Amino acid sequence: MTSSSWKYREDIDGLRALAVAIVILFHFEFSWVPGGFVGVDVFFVISGFLITSLIARQIAEGCFSLIDFYERRFRRIYPNLLIVLATTTALGIITMVPLTYGPFGRSLVWAALSGSNFAFIGGNGYFDPDNLTKPLLHTWSLGVEEQFYLVFPWLLIFATKRDYSAKWLIGGFVALSLALSIGAAMLNWAPSYFLLPTRFWELGTGALIAILQSGDRLPSTQRSVLGIAGLLAIAWAALRLSEFDPFPGYVALAPTLGAAAIIWANGGIVGKLLSLRPFVWIGRLSFALYLWHWPLISIAAGIGLPPTDTATRVVITAVMSVLSVVGYFLWEQPIRQKRLLGQRKPFFAALALFTLALVGAGILIFETRGLPQRLPADLIAMDEAVKRDSYLISQRCPEMGMESSCPLGDETSDKISFVIIGDSHSHAIAAEIGDIAKAYHLRGLYLGRGGCPPLANITRDPDSPCPLRYESALRKIQENNPKLVISILQWASLVGGPDGEYKTLLFDHNKEVSDAERIPVIKSALEKTIEDIGDRQIVTSITIPEYSGKAPVIWKAWSERFGLPSSLVELTYDQFISQQRYVLEILNEASAKHKNFKSVNPGRILCPEGACIRIKGSTLLYQNNTHLSHSGALLVAPLFEPYLAALTLIDKNP
């Protein structure tokens, strides 16, 4: 077994700096780094390389010790990790409501035991918008690494004792893991993002470099070419990939092989660039920066400081930098160099006690459902009301499939007078519109589906089942012949605003739509949709005022606990209209062209006296940043009442 010589390489610390920078930029929601999450893949390659270089050298010299190896790993990872976990737990007591603090307790237990990747496999994946409420989400990668460290040394020991070729053995596992990763991505299996079997190949790629790389250096030109190619591959992944790509899968080859190329080059132009002092220092702090940045972003978002806000970014960057530098000198380096807790037994004893304390705290938080006793009773009641009373349509029709529908209004009526189509924004208000229709003895159907804009050929994901839902809704409209179609969707996320607010990826006939094509494509899709629906009254709504960074319950709790005013103006009506400028242009143009197409403006209800609100008195109007609560839906639903009332006149005068 051979390995590269064990020599400190400044360029690898520089590569760490690059990796942590793109991850942080991604979590700060800079739109120009939609693939910044690939920084973790770069970290995996670096870890595989460094760990294998160490183990292979020591095995070759006959001095490898498992207990020494694991002690070094614990000294490297756990001091910073445990302090971050303890600090986040304390901040959570102050800033998090039971709705989010309860699940935090569960993730705390898993994170303290190096298994937090398992804590998040049951959700909607790494890119679930609700993940901003999970301060320990980023520790999933530490779980993968720690699990790699548990099994990988045994693999090398096995190869040595059996006189097997380590490169072929590791190569076989890398190939198997890559195949699993590609297969899982093709099946859109979200848990694969978090699991070692589908991530092993990235760490294993770094391990293969450590074994294959000889002491002979490549010629200078080749090292430069290889390094540049690697840097370009990482840059391409960070700038071009997004949450909609099947990941990790084959697209993860770009950042993984890019990092591998830079490590293999071991010099050249890129090596010299990454060896510059600022990059090296950031690289040395990269682990602490990675640990601190996400809890600070998550906690800040919970108290009203969204990651898209420039001031928030500056403050969080300053705080995490100070904490990382202080930790580097006060506990990280002293513990790693055995100047603090130098003896093995005291170190492991302190580690065990600290870990058990955090595990106990996590169990307590989880079992008590977020320690509600720490908050006033009225805030707890508000929290429960939002959970209980939102998305009433889901309670009335809990199992809506691709072809099914949900009855609305007066079910005793003998005909369908109206239907509601749309995405999750329609989901939040459909039941309340149906209750208004019931007063007019009108019967309707809900045909919406979350994440599916009801526009012809338009999706947010090329692999989405939304086109099937659209076709199903059209069939039911044709079959039941309603006179009114209410279409409610998040127009703002499709169209965007003058400053690029809200925009998500958009696909037309499964082809990604560029920013320049976006508005013409949506206009065309709307025209086709109006044509598909036919000569029926169609009513839509511009998007409700949307917010970033803080849920209203958390905001209210923070305001109450610290005596802050809970009626702070975040968005004026004029700002709201400005953000919706392109949406209004599209809808007004369609209204002028088609007499049967109209739109309503919920801002007139949700922005009284020129200031948009999410709390009215002690009543929460939103269940989260972009969806109405039951109380909010009750305010907005009457905007559609004139069109429902008009149906009674149509029935009387057919």
Side-chain angles (χ1 to χ4, degrees), residues 420-620:
I420 300 177
I421 58 176
D423 56 18
S424 59
H425 280 226
S426 71
H427 213 64
I429 194 174
E432 289 77 8
I433 295 174
D435 289 343
I436 292 175
K438 191 173 184 178
Y440 290 94
H441 304 290
L442 298 172
R443 182 182 173 192
L445 292 176
Y446 177 63
L447 305 173
R449 183 178 177 87
C452 292
L455 294 172
N457 307 314
I458 293 294
T459 64
R460 294 187 176 98
D461 182 347
D463 299 318
S464 167
C466 293
L468 296 177
R469 184 55 171 170
Y470 180 80
E471 294 298 328
S472 172
L474 284 182
R475 284 195 300 271
K476 291 189 181 298
I477 290 172
Q478 298 298 330
E479 292 168 4
N480 293 282
N481 195 29
K483 300 298 182 183
L484 171 65
V485 175
I486 298 174
S487 177
I488 304 173
L489 62 149
Q490 193 182 23
W491 284 104
S493 69
L494 301 177
V495 179
D499 298 321
E501 305 100 333
Y502 304 129
K503 281 189 295 189
T504 62
L505 280 182
L506 188 67
F507 294 85
D508 177 27
H509 292 88
N510 291 335
K511 178 184 176 183
E512 185 174 349
V513 177
S514 69
D515 285 347
E517 301 169 320
R518 185 175 289 261
I519 291 179
V521 164
I522 292 175
K523 286 183 178 180
S524 176
L526 179 56
E527 284 294 315
K528 179 65 167 64
T529 303
I530 294 172
E531 178 185 332
D532 289 343
I533 291 175
D535 189 22
R536 297 178 173 85
Q537 179 69 63
I538 306 171
V539 184
T540 190
S541 167
I542 67 173
T543 309
I544 61 174
E546 295 183 302
Y547 303 85
S548 61
K550 56 183 174 184
V553 175
I554 298 174
W555 179 30
K556 182 71 174 178
W558 180 263
S559 302
E560 292 279 344
R561 288 175 65 80
F562 293 92
L564 300 174
S566 61
S567 58
L568 297 173
V569 176
E570 296 181 87
L571 184 67
T572 67
Y573 180 74
D574 290 341
Q575 290 171 330
F576 163 65
I577 290 298
S578 176
Q579 291 172 354
Q580 301 280 334
R581 185 199 309 169
Y582 297 153
V583 174
L584 286 166
E585 287 178 4
I586 292 172
L587 300 185
N588 289 341
E589 182 180 312
S591 295
K593 186 175 181 181
H594 302 279
K595 293 182 179 180
N596 65 322
F597 183 84
K598 302 295 180 183
S599 63
V600 298
N601 179 2
R604 300 190 182 281
I605 304 296
L606 296 172
C607 305
E609 300 178 359
C612 303
I613 59 173
R614 286 185 291 169
I615 300 173
K616 187 175 183 180
S618 60
T619 302
L620 300 175

Side-chain angles (χ1 to χ4, degrees), residues 155-173:
L155 192 63
L156 293 182
I157 292 171
F158 175 78
T160 301
K161 288 187 175 181
R162 294 298 182 93
D163 199 25
Y164 291 158
S165 170
K167 64 182 180 182
W168 287 108
L169 187 62
I170 296 171
F173 278 101

